[in-house]
Amino acid sequence: MNSLTVKNLLKKNPNSQKVCIEGWVKTFRANRFISLNDGSCSENIQCVVDFENTDSKILSKITTGASLEIEGILVKSQGKGQNSEIKVNKIIVLGECDMNSYPIQPKKHSLEFLRENAHLRVRTNTFSSIMRVRSNLSFAIHKYFKEKGFFYVNTPIITGSDAEGAGEMFKVTTLEINKSSLNKQNEIDYNQDFFGKETNLTVSGQLEAESLAMGLGKVYTFGPTFRAENSNTSRHLAEFWMIEPEMAFYDLENNMELAEEFIKSVIKDLTEECKEDLEYLNKRLLDEDKTKPRNERNELNLLERLDFVINNDFKKITYTEAFDILKNSKPNKKKKFKFPILEWGVDLQSEHERFLVEKHFRKPVIIYDYPAKIKAFYMRMNEDGKTVKAMDILFPGIGEIVGGSQREERLDVLKSRIKDLNIEEKELWWYLDLRKYGTVKHSGFGLGLERLILFATGMSNIRDVIPFPRTPKSAEF
Ligand code: 4AD
Ligand code: MG
């Protein structure tokens, strides 16, 4: 008999048909009721054991966490809370679980404790829901771009170009860390290294995606990126997944429109595909809220927040407008910001972003036309000579979720920017070629997958939305 998943079983009309199921015990009550889960959905199937006719040795092995194969018949449930249940005929204990040492007890565990047990935490309701949401979002992202005529491209993870300037990089080398790899000047001699040059893990696939967009039109990458910045925050990972679309013939306006439509579309898809998991996460958040003082509670619940984003236009303002609002804001005047807003040109910190999104506009905000000096070399210079066609999308509770721009397509302007920023032009020879041969206006952006999952699940720490987080001083598992 082929096993079914719990998800499929629960959809079936119970009419005493024979069924077989495999899964892990969530709870075992009164020597009679096994709640079994197999990861296919957040719900469990109740399996009712005829304990009088079951070997007591087997019964003693049915504990939380044990894995079982169960054969029986699917019947209408006698109890409350479920439509159908399995009347058990046969139980095979596949793997016992020592309840004395098993960390995942049938009770509430703190998120910190579960992080230390990341190899087991997916067996809890919260983490299995988060991981199903993550999977569904990833597929929704691919689906969105496919329907829009984009091509999925893979850019290198080991990169020889380190000019993106997006953050500190992790070195990739096969050299031994000892004196033999030093040259006469006592510097590391990368000529001896595997690639014969210095290489790093990529911080972004953008530059290579631009190259691919110049022949394929509309492309996107979706892969891991690495940043060795030592920011131990609840929004930063050293290894995270980024989606980077890049579009030939798009200007900044087209780029912002696409980004907004894209985010709305994948969240809408998720609310349709992942109803039960979102309801579970919503309930979790409501419970968490109840433990907080009234003024710190969320105004909208999780499901309402998702609907709000789907149904409302994002607010679009220039950096200069944002700067004016912040400069004249109460927290700035009362010196409440850690980084006061004084002069035009300052970089916006997350406290400023969150003020704009959560207090001032109370909706997602797109800020565009940033000062050139706080943005990367490749962003297109505006006519004013001071600002570039950059855009960031800011989300409530998260801050920056998307960063993007229209790219500088004019060879001479790009070259002078590279020079001003003291970047080695010869390192970017191939990137400059794109401007020499058939250059066109083009744009793109990067969305951090984990930041999007934070928003979609209502979780507040980025370490809880990726299976095995990599952060400073932490790379267990
Ligand atoms: O704004 P960023 O640095 O943009 C780029 O890398 C561009 N090359 C993207 C492009 O135009 N193709 O990063 C983009 C997004 C951020 O908005 C944020 O959501 C996420 O990536 N991100 C991180 N997520 C988790 N941990 C980190 N350390 C992150 N750094 C950036
Ligand atoms: Mg950014």
Side-chain angles (χ1 to χ4, degrees):
M1 201 183 337
N2 274 339
S3 311
L4 287 161
T5 60
V6 172
K7 186 176 176 173
N8 288 335
L9 257 187
L10 291 173
K11 282 189 204 145
K12 282 191 181 295
N13 208 0
N15 58 10
S16 300
Q17 64 268 54
K18 269 191 172 170
V19 292
C20 177
I21 188 99
E22 291 151 333
W24 293 269
V25 178
K26 283 272 168 174
T27 56
F28 183 36
R29 281 188 298 118
N31 248 358
R32 200 166 150 76
F33 301 106
I34 304 172
S35 237
L36 202 72
N37 187 279
D38 65 354
S40 59
C41 62
S42 57
E43 279 146 297
N44 308 319
I45 182 112
Q46 172 155 289
C47 307
V48 186
V49 183
D50 175 6
F51 65 94
E52 278 163 358
N53 295 310
T54 306
D55 186 347
S56 63
K57 262 205 211 118
I58 289 190
L59 286 177
S60 70
K61 290 178 183 170
I62 305 173
T63 60
T64 297
S67 47
L68 308 180
E69 184 183 318
I70 284 180
E71 279 178 32
I73 54 170
L74 193 67
V75 295
K76 224 175 152 28
S77 179
Q78 309 290 309
K80 272 190 286 185
Q82 66 267 327
N83 177 39
S84 51
E85 61 190 23
I86 298 176
K87 220 172 133 213
V88 177
N89 291 332
K90 184 175 165 198
I91 302 178
I92 301 171
V93 179
L94 302 171
E96 291 173 47
C97 180
D98 174 12
M99 271 312 281
N100 293 321
S101 62
Y102 185 47
I104 312 294
Q105 298 285 328
K107 63 162 198 179
K108 206 170 151 43
H109 292 289
S110 73
L111 295 171
E112 291 77 16
F113 172 81
L114 292 172
R115 250 169 250 150
E116 286 160 17
N117 289 284
H119 61 308
L120 299 171
R121 65 179 176 172
V122 75
R123 303 180 189 199
T124 65
N125 292 338
T126 300
F127 282 92
S128 61
S129 281
I130 294 169
M131 289 309 144
R132 281 187 294 269
V133 165
R134 185 178 171 111
S135 170
N136 270 278
L137 268 177
S138 300
F139 277 100
I141 288 164
H142 283 299
K143 185 170 137 217
Y144 175 83
F145 285 122
K146 185 163 171 33
E147 283 170 4
K148 280 258 158 188
F150 281 68
F151 296 103
Y152 171 43
V153 296
N154 304 114
T155 49
I157 287 172
I158 299 174
T159 175
S161 65
D162 65 354
E164 232 269 23
E168 292 295 309
M169 303 182 106
F170 288 101
K171 218 153 249 158
V172 175
T173 181
T174 53
L175 290 178
E176 295 290 332
I177 309 177
N178 62 28
K179 291 215 173 105
S180 69
S181 46
L182 300 180
N183 65 12
K184 283 185 191 123
Q185 286 79 43
N186 244 7
E187 292 161 341
I188 295 171
D189 183 7
Y190 287 105
N191 288 321
Q192 293 179 39
D193 204 350
F194 188 90
F195 297 107
K197 65 178 292 191
E198 195 176 343
T199 52
N200 294 290
L201 292 179
T202 187
V203 293
S204 157
Q206 179 198 321
L207 304 192
E208 289 90 351
E210 282 186 55
S211 146
L212 292 160
M214 292 303 119
L216 289 166
K218 291 192 285 188
V219 301
Y220 70 103
T221 69
F222 187 164
T225 42
F226 308 86
R227 297 190 186 179
E229 52 200 342
N230 205 352
S231 34
N232 220 334
T233 77
S234 56
R235 307 277 176 271
H236 289 87
L237 289 165
E239 175 178 301
F240 64 99
W241 286 67
M242 187 154 51
I243 297 98
E244 293 183 277
E246 191 68 36
M247 300 75 67
F249 317 111
Y250 270 49
D251 64 13
L252 184 68
E253 189 58 40
N254 306 142
N255 197 23
M256 292 192 282
E257 253 168 49
L258 179 84
E260 180 170 345
E261 184 193 77
F262 162 60
I263 293 176
K264 286 178 170 169
S265 162
V266 296
I267 291 183
K268 182 151 195 292
D269 207 291
L270 183 72
T271 57
E272 287 159 7
E273 293 286 322
C274 256
K275 272 200 180 80
E276 278 132 31
D277 286 313
L278 292 176
E279 271 159 25
Y280 177 79
L281 292 165
N282 187 41
K283 197 177 151 292
R284 184 196 157 270
L285 214 59
L286 290 174
D287 289 344
E288 191 183 275
D289 255 13
K290 281 185 203 144
T291 65
K292 291 184 186 163
R294 237 167 231 293
N295 60 347
E296 282 174 31
R297 292 185 193 168
N298 288 299
E299 259 172 69
L300 301 180
N301 73 32
L302 176 65
L303 303 177
E304 289 165 343
R305 273 184 265 164
L306 299 181
D307 278 339
F308 184 87
V309 163
I310 296 167
N311 296 319
N312 286 280
D313 287 341
F314 296 2
K315 178 74 192 173
K316 270 188 208 146
I317 52 167
T318 62
Y319 168 89
T320 305
E321 286 165 326
F323 172 80
D324 287 338
I325 293 168
L326 288 166
K327 190 160 188 205
N328 297 317
S329 70
K330 248 196 208 160
N332 196 48
K333 287 185 170 158
K334 291 193 167 170
K335 303 202 166 22
K336 287 270 160 69
F337 285 141
K338 200 166 148 224
F339 299 89
I341 296 285
L342 302 170
E343 260 175 82
W344 188 93
V346 291
D347 206 353
L348 303 183
Q349 305 295 328
S350 92
E351 56 178 346
H352 309 129
E353 297 176 342
R354 295 187 66 166
F355 172 81
L356 290 168
V357 174
E358 289 160 27
K359 298 268 157 28
H360 192 82
F361 290 112
R362 294 170 167 272
K363 52 158 60 178
V365 176
I366 310 183
I367 304 184
Y368 64 100
D369 284 353
Y370 277 84
K373 63 176 186 220
I374 58 170
K375 289 289 181 187
F377 74 94
Y378 51 70
M379 300 189 177
R380 196 181 197 279
M381 186 60 79
N382 277 316
E383 268 56 71
D384 62 13
K386 282 195 316 192
T387 60
V388 287
K389 289 190 187 297
M391 64 107 168
D392 277 2
I393 302 186
L394 315 178
F395 256 50
I398 316 273
E400 180 190 332
I401 193 163
V402 161
S405 62
Q406 184 174 332
R407 321 305 190 188
E408 186 55 78
E409 84 285 15
R410 298 162 297 186
L411 184 63
D412 51 336
V413 184
L414 186 59
K415 274 189 167 176
S416 82
R417 281 279 281 158
I418 289 174
K419 200 162 164 231
D420 288 350
L421 293 170
N422 290 324
I423 301 170
E424 285 254 21
E425 195 182 299
K426 66 174 194 306
E427 262 186 42
L428 286 166
W429 66 273
W430 61 272
Y431 189 71
L432 291 167
D433 266 6
L434 307 177
R435 278 69 183 167
K436 265 191 227 162
Y437 308 123
T439 193
V440 296
K441 105 181 144 202
H442 63 289
S443 301
F445 61 83
L447 168 82
L449 177 68
E450 287 77 17
R451 300 239 176 127
L452 181 67
I453 304 173
L454 276 180
F455 178 72
T457 57
M459 300 302 289
S460 46
N461 193 319
I462 201 159
R463 292 167 178 80
D464 297 332
V465 298
I466 186 163
F468 302 106
R470 277 21 185 161
T471 51
K473 298 277 176 290
S474 160
E476 195 62 53
F477 309 108

